[in-house]
């Protein structure tokens, strides 16, 4: 059994991105995995201010950042997660602002625990009215190349592929 964290950057709880995360989560749960999803658009998450507190280890693992907001709900789930799923519609050829802000704030626990000790698997679930996924795969390469994470799948506008990725997690 694996613990899966979904960071959903979509603006609608019942849109196309949510449909993909539901299919993914259903398939992953069917294999006995635990899935926790955060709808970032509806959370109070402010941007990193580069204060350096996370590098001084003066905070706890569940609250590694000096900013006090809803990231404190995500940090424990991120720390426990074996798999992180980035879900987002494409906005202006990129992930949404809420997802980017949350990802930036993940620097705090990564810095605190040591990036070399943060190996995780990850998947990308994207929706778009016309863009391709190639640009987003380039974004994902940073997680692979800089953090040593393992990409287990990526899907663009494909609910069945999202389901297949979720079903493959055991």
């Amino acid at each position: 059994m694996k613990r899966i964290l979904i960071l959903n950057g979509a603006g609608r709880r019942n849109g196309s991105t949510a449909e993909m995360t539901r299919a993914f989560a259903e398939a992953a749960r069917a294999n006995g995995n635990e899935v926790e999803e955060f709808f970032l658009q509806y959370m109070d998450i402010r941007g990193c201010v580069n204060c350096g507190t996370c590098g001084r280890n003066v905070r706890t693992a569940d609250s590694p950042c000096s900013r006090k907001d809803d990231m404190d709900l995500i940090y424990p789930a991120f720390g426990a997660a074996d798999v992180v799923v980035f879900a987002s519609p494409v906005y202006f050829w990129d992930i949404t602002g809420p997802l980017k802000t949350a990802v930036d704030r993940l620097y705090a626990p990564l810095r605190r625990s040591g990036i070399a000790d943060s190996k995780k698997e990850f998947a990308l679930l994207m929706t778009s009215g016309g863009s391709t996924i190639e640009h987003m795969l380039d974004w994902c390469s940073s997680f692979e190349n800089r953090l040593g994470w393992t990409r287990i799948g990526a899907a663009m506008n494909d609910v069945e592929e999202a389901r297949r990725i979720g079903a493959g997690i055991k």
Side-chain angles (χ1 to χ4, degrees):
M1 180 210 54
K2 293 190 177 180
R3 292 182 180 156
I4 302 167
L5 167 64
I6 300 174
L7 297 176
N8 187 334
R12 295 178 289 140
R13 288 184 187 264
N14 293 309
S16 301
T17 304
E19 183 181 2
M20 287 183 68
T21 62
R22 270 192 303 276
F24 171 91
E26 287 170 4
R29 285 186 181 113
N31 283 338
N33 297 297
E34 291 180 20
V35 179
E36 187 170 9
E37 182 171 7
F38 290 93
F39 290 90
L40 304 172
Q41 184 70 32
Y42 303 97
M43 300 177 76
D44 174 30
I45 300 174
R46 293 179 304 280
C48 175
V49 294
N50 194 28
C51 67
T53 298
C54 58
R56 293 191 295 273
N57 285 336
V58 295
R59 309 284 315 160
T60 66
D62 287 345
S63 184
C65 182
S66 66
R67 304 215 68 176
K68 298 294 104 208
D69 58 18
D70 288 344
M71 279 302 292
D72 281 342
L73 301 172
I74 295 173
Y75 288 136
F78 176 73
D82 303 298
V83 179
V84 178
V85 177
F86 301 110
S88 177
V90 174
Y91 283 8
F92 210 64
W93 307 288
D94 212 338
I95 60 172
T96 60
L99 181 56
K100 174 65 168 111
T101 300
V103 169
D104 285 350
R105 292 280 302 282
L106 291 178
Y107 180 72
L110 290 169
R111 185 167 182 196
R112 181 176 176 28
S113 67
I115 289 174
D117 297 326
S118 68
K119 304 290 190 258
K120 295 189 185 289
E121 296 176 318
F122 74 100
L124 179 67
L125 304 178
M126 301 291 298
T127 56
S128 173
S131 296
T132 65
I133 199 168
E134 279 71 30
H135 172 68
M136 300 318 307
L137 294 176
D138 289 342
W139 179 73
C140 285
S141 69
S142 294
F143 294 94
E144 294 169 306
N145 298 331
R146 292 185 173 93
L147 299 178
W149 291 14
T150 303
R151 183 172 13 135
I152 59 171
M156 173 71 90
N157 296 326
D158 191 337
V159 173
E160 289 311 309
E161 179 64 10
R163 187 180 319 281
R164 187 195 66 70
I165 295 166
I169 302 171
K170 297 180 171 68

CSV table of all heavy atoms in Angstrom, one decimal, residues 45-98:
chain,number,residue,atom,x,y,z
A,45,ILE,N,-3.2,29.7,0.5
A,45,ILE,CA,-1.8,29.4,0.4
A,45,ILE,C,-1.1,30.6,-0.3
A,45,ILE,O,-1.4,31.0,-1.4
A,45,ILE,CB,-1.5,28.1,-0.5
A,45,ILE,CG1,-2.2,26.9,0.2
A,45,ILE,CG2,0.0,27.9,-0.7
A,45,ILE,CD1,-2.2,25.7,-0.7
A,46,ARG,N,-0.2,31.2,0.5
A,46,ARG,CA,0.6,32.4,0.0
A,46,ARG,C,1.9,31.9,-0.5
A,46,ARG,O,2.5,30.9,-0.1
A,46,ARG,CB,0.7,33.4,1.1
A,46,ARG,CG,-0.7,34.0,1.5
A,46,ARG,CD,-0.7,35.0,2.6
A,46,ARG,NE,-0.1,34.5,3.9
A,46,ARG,CZ,-0.7,33.8,4.8
A,46,ARG,NH1,-1.9,33.4,4.6
A,46,ARG,NH2,-0.1,33.5,5.9
A,47,GLY,N,2.5,32.8,-1.3
A,47,GLY,CA,3.8,32.5,-2.0
A,47,GLY,C,5.0,32.5,-1.0
A,47,GLY,O,4.9,33.1,0.1
A,48,CYS,N,6.0,31.8,-1.4
A,48,CYS,CA,7.3,31.8,-0.7
A,48,CYS,C,7.9,33.2,-0.7
A,48,CYS,O,7.8,33.9,-1.7
A,48,CYS,CB,8.3,30.8,-1.3
A,48,CYS,SG,9.9,30.8,-0.6
A,49,VAL,N,8.5,33.7,0.5
A,49,VAL,CA,9.1,35.0,0.5
A,49,VAL,C,10.6,34.9,0.7
A,49,VAL,O,11.3,35.9,1.0
A,49,VAL,CB,8.5,35.8,1.7
A,49,VAL,CG1,7.0,36.2,1.3
A,49,VAL,CG2,8.6,35.2,3.0
A,50,ASN,N,11.1,33.7,0.5
A,50,ASN,CA,12.6,33.4,0.6
A,50,ASN,C,13.2,34.0,1.9
A,50,ASN,O,14.3,34.6,1.9
A,50,ASN,CB,13.3,34.0,-0.6
A,50,ASN,CG,14.7,33.6,-0.8
A,50,ASN,OD1,15.0,32.5,-0.3
A,50,ASN,ND2,15.5,34.4,-1.4
A,51,CYS,N,12.5,33.7,3.0
A,51,CYS,CA,13.0,34.2,4.3
A,51,CYS,C,14.2,33.4,4.9
A,51,CYS,O,14.9,33.8,5.7
A,51,CYS,CB,11.9,34.3,5.3
A,51,CYS,SG,11.2,32.7,5.8
A,52,GLY,N,14.3,32.1,4.4
A,52,GLY,CA,15.3,31.2,4.8
A,52,GLY,C,15.0,30.4,6.1
A,52,GLY,O,15.9,29.6,6.5
A,53,THR,N,13.9,30.6,6.7
A,53,THR,CA,13.5,29.9,7.9
A,53,THR,C,13.6,28.4,7.7
A,53,THR,O,14.1,27.7,8.6
A,53,THR,CB,12.1,30.3,8.4
A,53,THR,OG1,12.1,31.7,8.7
A,53,THR,CG2,11.7,29.5,9.6
A,54,CYS,N,13.2,27.9,6.6
A,54,CYS,CA,13.2,26.4,6.3
A,54,CYS,C,14.6,25.9,6.3
A,54,CYS,O,14.8,24.7,6.7
A,54,CYS,CB,12.5,26.1,5.0
A,54,CYS,SG,13.2,26.9,3.6
A,55,GLY,N,15.6,26.7,6.0
A,55,GLY,CA,17.0,26.2,6.0
A,55,GLY,C,17.6,26.2,7.4
A,55,GLY,O,18.7,25.6,7.6
A,56,ARG,N,17.0,26.8,8.4
A,56,ARG,CA,17.5,26.9,9.7
A,56,ARG,C,17.0,25.8,10.7
A,56,ARG,O,17.4,25.8,11.8
A,56,ARG,CB,17.3,28.3,10.3
A,56,ARG,CG,18.1,29.4,9.5
A,56,ARG,CD,18.1,30.7,10.2
A,56,ARG,NE,16.8,31.3,10.3
A,56,ARG,CZ,16.3,32.1,9.4
A,56,ARG,NH1,16.9,32.4,8.3
A,56,ARG,NH2,15.1,32.6,9.6
A,57,ASN,N,16.0,25.0,10.2
A,57,ASN,CA,15.4,23.9,10.9
A,57,ASN,C,14.9,24.4,12.3
A,57,ASN,O,15.0,23.7,13.3
A,57,ASN,CB,16.4,22.8,11.2
A,57,ASN,CG,16.6,22.0,9.9
A,57,ASN,OD1,15.7,21.9,9.1
A,57,ASN,ND2,17.7,21.3,9.8
A,58,VAL,N,14.3,25.6,12.3
A,58,VAL,CA,13.7,26.1,13.5
A,58,VAL,C,12.3,25.8,13.6
A,58,VAL,O,11.6,26.0,14.6
A,58,VAL,CB,13.9,27.7,13.6
A,58,VAL,CG1,15.4,28.0,13.8
A,58,VAL,CG2,13.3,28.4,12.5
A,59,ARG,N,11.7,25.2,12.6
A,59,ARG,CA,10.3,24.8,12.5
A,59,ARG,C,10.2,23.3,12.6
A,59,ARG,O,11.2,22.6,12.5
A,59,ARG,CB,9.7,25.3,11.2
A,59,ARG,CG,9.9,26.8,10.9
A,59,ARG,CD,9.1,27.7,11.6
A,59,ARG,NE,7.7,27.3,11.7
A,59,ARG,CZ,6.8,27.7,12.6
A,59,ARG,NH1,7.2,28.6,13.5
A,59,ARG,NH2,5.6,27.2,12.6
A,60,THR,N,9.0,22.8,12.8
A,60,THR,CA,8.8,21.3,12.8
A,60,THR,C,8.7,20.8,11.4
A,60,THR,O,8.4,21.5,10.5
A,60,THR,CB,7.5,21.0,13.6
A,60,THR,OG1,6.4,21.5,12.9
A,60,THR,CG2,7.6,21.6,15.0
A,61,ALA,N,8.8,19.5,11.3
A,61,ALA,CA,8.6,18.8,10.0
A,61,ALA,C,7.2,19.0,9.4
A,61,ALA,O,7.0,19.1,8.2
A,61,ALA,CB,8.9,17.3,10.1
A,62,ASP,N,6.2,19.1,10.3
A,62,ASP,CA,4.8,19.3,9.8
A,62,ASP,C,4.5,20.8,9.6
A,62,ASP,O,3.4,21.1,9.1
A,62,ASP,CB,3.8,18.7,10.8
A,62,ASP,CG,3.8,17.2,10.8
A,62,ASP,OD1,4.3,16.6,9.8
A,62,ASP,OD2,3.2,16.6,11.7
A,63,SER,N,5.4,21.7,10.0
A,63,SER,CA,5.3,23.1,9.8
A,63,SER,C,6.6,23.7,9.5
A,63,SER,O,7.1,24.5,10.3
A,63,SER,CB,4.6,23.7,11.0
A,63,SER,OG,4.3,25.1,10.8
A,64,PRO,N,7.3,23.4,8.4
A,64,PRO,CA,8.6,23.8,8.2
A,64,PRO,C,8.8,25.3,7.7
A,64,PRO,O,9.9,25.8,7.6
A,64,PRO,CB,9.1,22.9,7.1
A,64,PRO,CG,7.9,22.5,6.3
A,64,PRO,CD,6.8,22.5,7.3
A,65,CYS,N,7.7,25.9,7.4
A,65,CYS,CA,7.8,27.3,6.8
A,65,CYS,C,7.3,28.3,7.8
A,65,CYS,O,6.4,28.1,8.7
A,65,CYS,CB,6.9,27.3,5.6
A,65,CYS,SG,6.8,28.9,4.7
A,66,SER,N,7.9,29.5,7.7
A,66,SER,CA,7.5,30.6,8.6
A,66,SER,C,6.1,31.1,8.3
A,66,SER,O,5.4,31.7,9.2
A,66,SER,CB,8.5,31.7,8.6
A,66,SER,OG,8.5,32.3,7.3
A,67,ARG,N,5.6,30.9,7.1
A,67,ARG,CA,4.3,31.4,6.7
A,67,ARG,C,3.3,30.5,7.3
A,67,ARG,O,3.4,29.2,7.2
A,67,ARG,CB,4.2,31.4,5.2
A,67,ARG,CG,5.3,32.3,4.6
A,67,ARG,CD,4.9,33.0,3.4
A,67,ARG,NE,3.9,34.1,3.7
A,67,ARG,CZ,3.6,34.9,2.8
A,67,ARG,NH1,4.0,34.8,1.5
A,67,ARG,NH2,2.7,35.9,3.0
A,68,LYS,N,2.3,31.0,7.9
A,68,LYS,CA,1.2,30.2,8.6
A,68,LYS,C,0.0,30.3,7.7
A,68,LYS,O,-0.7,31.4,7.7
A,68,LYS,CB,0.9,30.7,10.0
A,68,LYS,CG,2.1,30.6,10.9
A,68,LYS,CD,2.5,29.1,11.2
A,68,LYS,CE,3.7,28.7,10.4
A,68,LYS,NZ,4.0,27.4,10.0
A,69,ASP,N,-0.3,29.3,7.0
A,69,ASP,CA,-1.5,29.3,6.1
A,69,ASP,C,-1.9,27.8,5.9
A,69,ASP,O,-1.4,26.9,6.6
A,69,ASP,CB,-1.2,30.0,4.8
A,69,ASP,CG,-0.1,29.5,4.0
A,69,ASP,OD1,0.4,28.3,4.2
A,69,ASP,OD2,0.4,30.2,3.1
A,70,ASP,N,-2.6,27.5,4.9
A,70,ASP,CA,-3.1,26.1,4.7
A,70,ASP,C,-2.1,25.1,4.2
A,70,ASP,O,-2.4,23.9,4.1
A,70,ASP,CB,-4.3,26.1,3.7
A,70,ASP,CG,-5.6,26.7,4.3
A,70,ASP,OD1,-5.6,26.8,5.6
A,70,ASP,OD2,-6.5,27.1,3.6
A,71,MET,N,-0.9,25.6,3.9
A,71,MET,CA,0.2,24.6,3.6
A,71,MET,C,0.4,23.7,4.8
A,71,MET,O,0.9,22.6,4.6
A,71,MET,CB,1.5,25.3,3.1
A,71,MET,CG,1.5,25.8,1.7
A,71,MET,SD,1.3,24.5,0.4
A,71,MET,CE,2.8,23.5,0.6
A,72,ASP,N,0.1,24.2,6.0
A,72,ASP,CA,0.3,23.4,7.2
A,72,ASP,C,-0.6,22.2,7.1
A,72,ASP,O,-0.4,21.2,7.9
A,72,ASP,CB,0.1,24.2,8.4
A,72,ASP,CG,1.3,25.0,8.8
A,72,ASP,OD1,2.4,24.7,8.3
A,72,ASP,OD2,1.2,25.9,9.6
A,73,LEU,N,-1.6,22.2,6.3
A,73,LEU,CA,-2.5,21.0,6.1
A,73,LEU,C,-1.8,20.0,5.1
A,73,LEU,O,-2.0,18.8,5.2
A,73,LEU,CB,-3.9,21.4,5.6
A,73,LEU,CG,-4.7,22.4,6.4
A,73,LEU,CD1,-5.9,22.8,5.7
A,73,LEU,CD2,-5.0,21.7,7.7
A,74,ILE,N,-1.1,20.6,4.2
A,74,ILE,CA,-0.4,19.8,3.1
A,74,ILE,C,0.9,19.2,3.6
A,74,ILE,O,1.2,18.0,3.2
A,74,ILE,CB,-0.3,20.6,1.9
A,74,ILE,CG1,-1.6,21.0,1.3
A,74,ILE,CG2,0.6,19.9,0.8
A,74,ILE,CD1,-1.6,22.0,0.2
A,75,TYR,N,1.7,19.9,4.4
A,75,TYR,CA,3.0,19.4,4.7
A,75,TYR,C,3.0,18.0,5.3
A,75,TYR,O,3.8,17.2,4.9
A,75,TYR,CB,3.7,20.4,5.7
A,75,TYR,CG,4.1,21.7,5.0
A,75,TYR,CD1,3.9,22.9,5.7
A,75,TYR,CD2,4.8,21.7,3.8
A,75,TYR,CE1,4.4,24.1,5.1
A,75,TYR,CE2,5.2,22.9,3.2
A,75,TYR,CZ,5.0,24.1,3.9
A,75,TYR,OH,5.4,25.2,3.3
A,76,PRO,N,2.1,17.7,6.3
A,76,PRO,CA,2.2,16.3,6.8
A,76,PRO,C,1.8,15.2,5.8
A,76,PRO,O,2.4,14.2,5.7
A,76,PRO,CB,1.1,16.3,7.9
A,76,PRO,CG,0.9,17.7,8.3
A,76,PRO,CD,1.2,18.5,7.1
A,77,ALA,N,0.9,15.6,4.9
A,77,ALA,CA,0.5,14.6,3.8
A,77,ALA,C,1.6,14.5,2.8
A,77,ALA,O,1.9,13.4,2.4
A,77,ALA,CB,-0.8,15.1,3.1
A,78,PHE,N,2.3,15.5,2.5
A,78,PHE,CA,3.5,15.5,1.6
A,78,PHE,C,4.6,14.6,2.2
A,78,PHE,O,5.2,13.8,1.6
A,78,PHE,CB,4.0,16.9,1.3
A,78,PHE,CG,5.2,16.9,0.5
A,78,PHE,CD1,5.2,16.6,-0.9
A,78,PHE,CD2,6.5,17.2,1.0
A,78,PHE,CE1,6.3,16.6,-1.7
A,78,PHE,CE2,7.6,17.2,0.2
A,78,PHE,CZ,7.5,16.9,-1.1
A,79,GLY,N,4.9,14.8,3.5
A,79,GLY,CA,5.9,14.1,4.2
A,79,GLY,C,5.6,12.6,4.2
A,79,GLY,O,6.5,11.8,4.1
A,80,ALA,N,4.4,12.2,4.3
A,80,ALA,CA,4.0,10.8,4.4
A,80,ALA,C,3.8,10.2,3.0
A,80,ALA,O,3.8,9.0,2.9
A,80,ALA,CB,2.7,10.7,5.2
A,81,ALA,N,3.7,11.0,2.0
A,81,ALA,CA,3.3,10.5,0.7
A,81,ALA,C,4.5,9.7,0.0
A,81,ALA,O,5.6,10.2,0.1
A,81,ALA,CB,2.9,11.7,-0.3
A,82,ASP,N,4.1,8.6,-0.6
A,82,ASP,CA,5.0,7.9,-1.5
A,82,ASP,C,5.0,8.4,-2.9
A,82,ASP,O,5.9,8.3,-3.7
A,82,ASP,CB,4.7,6.4,-1.5
A,82,ASP,CG,4.7,5.8,0.0
A,82,ASP,OD1,5.8,5.8,0.6
A,82,ASP,OD2,3.7,5.4,0.4
A,83,VAL,N,3.7,8.9,-3.3
A,83,VAL,CA,3.5,9.3,-4.6
A,83,VAL,C,2.8,10.7,-4.5
A,83,VAL,O,1.9,10.9,-3.7
A,83,VAL,CB,2.5,8.4,-5.3
A,83,VAL,CG1,2.2,8.9,-6.7
A,83,VAL,CG2,3.0,6.9,-5.4
A,84,VAL,N,3.3,11.6,-5.3
A,84,VAL,CA,2.7,13.0,-5.5
A,84,VAL,C,2.1,13.1,-6.9
A,84,VAL,O,2.8,12.9,-7.8
A,84,VAL,CB,3.7,14.1,-5.2
A,84,VAL,CG1,3.0,15.5,-5.3
A,84,VAL,CG2,4.3,13.9,-3.8
A,85,VAL,N,0.8,13.5,-6.9
A,85,VAL,CA,0.2,13.7,-8.2
A,85,VAL,C,0.0,15.2,-8.4
A,85,VAL,O,-0.7,15.9,-7.5
A,85,VAL,CB,-1.1,13.0,-8.3
A,85,VAL,CG1,-1.9,13.3,-9.6
A,85,VAL,CG2,-0.9,11.5,-8.2
A,86,PHE,N,0.5,15.8,-9.5
A,86,PHE,CA,0.3,17.2,-9.8
A,86,PHE,C,-0.9,17.2,-10.9
A,86,PHE,O,-0.7,16.6,-12.0
A,86,PHE,CB,1.5,17.8,-10.4
A,86,PHE,CG,2.7,17.8,-9.5
A,86,PHE,CD1,3.8,16.9,-9.8
A,86,PHE,CD2,2.7,18.5,-8.4
A,86,PHE,CE1,4.9,16.9,-8.9
A,86,PHE,CE2,3.8,18.5,-7.5
A,86,PHE,CZ,4.9,17.7,-7.8
A,87,ALA,N,-2.0,17.8,-10.5
A,87,ALA,CA,-3.1,17.9,-11.4
A,87,ALA,C,-3.5,19.3,-11.7
A,87,ALA,O,-3.6,20.1,-10.8
A,87,ALA,CB,-4.3,17.1,-10.8
A,88,SER,N,-3.7,19.6,-13.0
A,88,SER,CA,-3.9,21.0,-13.3
A,88,SER,C,-4.4,21.2,-14.8
A,88,SER,O,-4.0,20.4,-15.6
A,88,SER,CB,-2.6,21.8,-13.2
A,88,SER,OG,-2.8,23.2,-13.6
A,89,PRO,N,-5.3,22.1,-15.0
A,89,PRO,CA,-5.5,22.5,-16.4
A,89,PRO,C,-4.3,23.3,-16.8
A,89,PRO,O,-3.6,23.9,-16.0
A,89,PRO,CB,-6.8,23.3,-16.3
A,89,PRO,CG,-6.9,23.8,-14.9
A,89,PRO,CD,-6.2,22.8,-14.0
A,90,VAL,N,-4.2,23.5,-18.1
A,90,VAL,CA,-3.1,24.3,-18.7
A,90,VAL,C,-3.7,25.7,-18.7
A,90,VAL,O,-4.7,26.0,-19.3
A,90,VAL,CB,-2.7,23.8,-20.1
A,90,VAL,CG1,-1.7,24.8,-20.7
A,90,VAL,CG2,-2.1,22.5,-20.0
A,91,TYR,N,-3.0,26.6,-18.1
A,91,TYR,CA,-3.4,28.1,-18.1
A,91,TYR,C,-2.2,28.8,-18.7
A,91,TYR,O,-1.1,28.8,-18.1
A,91,TYR,CB,-3.7,28.6,-16.7
A,91,TYR,CG,-5.0,28.3,-16.1
A,91,TYR,CD1,-5.9,27.4,-16.7
A,91,TYR,CD2,-5.4,28.9,-14.9
A,91,TYR,CE1,-7.1,27.1,-16.1
A,91,TYR,CE2,-6.6,28.6,-14.3
A,91,TYR,CZ,-7.4,27.7,-14.9
A,91,TYR,OH,-8.6,27.4,-14.3
A,92,PHE,N,-2.4,29.4,-19.8
A,92,PHE,CA,-1.3,30.2,-20.5
A,92,PHE,C,0.0,29.3,-20.6
A,92,PHE,O,1.1,29.7,-20.2
A,92,PHE,CB,-1.1,31.5,-19.7
A,92,PHE,CG,-0.6,32.6,-20.5
A,92,PHE,CD1,-1.4,33.1,-21.5
A,92,PHE,CD2,0.7,33.2,-20.3
A,92,PHE,CE1,-0.9,34.2,-22.3
A,92,PHE,CE2,1.1,34.2,-21.1
A,92,PHE,CZ,0.3,34.7,-22.1
A,93,TRP,N,-0.2,28.1,-21.1
A,93,TRP,CA,0.9,27.1,-21.4
A,93,TRP,C,1.6,26.6,-20.2
A,93,TRP,O,2.8,26.2,-20.2
A,93,TRP,CB,1.9,27.7,-22.4
A,93,TRP,CG,1.3,28.2,-23.6
A,93,TRP,CD1,0.7,27.5,-24.6
A,93,TRP,CD2,1.1,29.6,-24.0
A,93,TRP,NE1,0.2,28.3,-25.6
A,93,TRP,CE2,0.4,29.6,-25.2
A,93,TRP,CE3,1.5,30.8,-23.4
A,93,TRP,CZ2,0.1,30.8,-25.9
A,93,TRP,CZ3,1.1,32.0,-24.0
A,93,TRP,CH2,0.5,32.0,-25.2
A,94,ASP,N,1.0,26.6,-19.0
A,94,ASP,CA,1.6,26.2,-17.8
A,94,ASP,C,0.6,25.7,-16.8
A,94,ASP,O,-0.6,25.7,-17.0
A,94,ASP,CB,2.4,27.4,-17.2
A,94,ASP,CG,3.7,27.0,-16.5
A,94,ASP,OD1,3.8,25.9,-16.0
A,94,ASP,OD2,4.5,27.9,-16.3
A,95,ILE,N,1.1,25.2,-15.6
A,95,ILE,CA,0.2,24.8,-14.5
A,95,ILE,C,-0.4,26.1,-14.0
A,95,ILE,O,0.0,27.2,-14.2
A,95,ILE,CB,1.0,24.1,-13.4
A,95,ILE,CG1,2.1,24.9,-12.8
A,95,ILE,CG2,1.5,22.7,-13.9
A,95,ILE,CD1,2.8,24.4,-11.6
A,96,THR,N,-1.5,25.9,-13.2
A,96,THR,CA,-2.2,27.1,-12.6
A,96,THR,C,-1.4,27.7,-11.5
A,96,THR,O,-0.5,27.1,-10.9
A,96,THR,CB,-3.5,26.6,-12.1
A,96,THR,OG1,-3.3,25.6,-11.0
A,96,THR,CG2,-4.5,26.1,-13.1
A,97,GLY,N,-1.7,28.9,-11.2
A,97,GLY,CA,-1.0,29.7,-10.1
A,97,GLY,C,-1.1,29.0,-8.8
A,97,GLY,O,-0.1,28.9,-8.1
A,98,PRO,N,-2.3,28.5,-8.4
A,98,PRO,CA,-2.4,27.8,-7.1
A,98,PRO,C,-1.4,26.6,-7.0
A,98,PRO,O,-0.8,26.4,-6.0
A,98,PRO,CB,-3.8,27.4,-7.0
A,98,PRO,CG,-4.6,28.4,-7.8
A,98,PRO,CD,-3.6,28.7,-9.0
